[in-house]
Amino acid sequence: MGRFQDKKVLVTGAGRGFGRSLALAFAAEGADVVVHYNSSSAGAEATADEIRALGRKAITVKGNIASHAEVLAITEAAYGAFGRIDVLINNVGDMALDQKSWREMDEKVVDHTLAVDIKGTMFMIHEVGLRMVDGDGAGGSIVNIGSQVVVAGSPRAPQYAAAKYGVIGLTKSYARALAPKVRVNTLGAAFMETEALKNRFDWKNGRREEVLAQTPLARIASPEDMVGPVLFLAGDESRHMTGQFMLCNGGLAMVGA
């Protein structure tokens, strides 16, 4: 029996990268998974096939989380397929990957980052959390994928840091609003060497070495390194935690109690 045996889990952005790793990890722990995607259709179907190969159920659902109407459609599809959602993982986020410096002020890029990271996260928490609270089940758990950027800041893309601060505000607000049936927490994730990060201009031009030199554990995290902390926040081991921001960054940015 896995830690999430027969639970129903919705992972946003599960067609590739960290979202894919999370979806497969939940399935390996016994969960049925809603694999959300927006543009990576082939990746989402591949993730779903791998989940089914583990003996679990999976559906794929497309949608832009920055649109409330599309979030409603995502939620309805998930509940229509599984009847309930026990765990929501808000993995989707925009990091303004193509931006090289804070000097590059592009209103469209700023708007998109804030829309996806703040509006999108809010819409997902709101719609799924509402159903978790009003349903007949035992509530649920919501984990937002945040970033240690809220500690260090981002001289490259300040709107990204601002957006992730917004996610902390949403976490605390909905943790209070949805209590005691639903817990809401955020993982302060480290730099993860996904393909997207490896292809970033600053990462290929000295930033990786700088981060590595400042990280006490002397390594850059893989997506798999962040899976365990997310499962912890989603599961019963963290049952007395809500409204929290938990750093997992190799010691890169240490903050006081």
Side-chain angles (χ1 to χ4, degrees), residues 219-231:
R219 57 191 296 272
I220 305 296
S222 68
E224 287 69 28
D225 291 323
M226 297 293 119
V227 167
V230 174
L231 296 184

Side-chain angles (χ1 to χ4, degrees), residues 90 121-122 125 142-144 150 164-179 182-187 241-246:
N90 283 313
T121 301
M122 181 175 183
I125 297 173
I142 297 174
V143 181
N144 304 314
V150 302
K164 290 305 183 183
Y165 263 110
V167 170
I168 293 176
L170 292 172
T171 299
K172 293 178 181 295
S173 300
Y174 277 101
R176 289 184 177 275
L178 302 178
V182 178
R183 299 185 302 110
V184 187
N185 292 290
T186 289
L187 177 72
M241 291 177 65
T242 196
Q244 301 303 306
F245 174 76
M246 188 177 81

Side-chain angles (χ1 to χ4, degrees), residues 207-218 249-254:
R207 180 63 170 148
R208 185 185 193 279
E209 291 71 22
E210 178 185 337
V211 169
L212 188 60
Q214 295 174 359
T215 303
L217 291 187
N249 64 355
L252 174 62
M254 298 187 189

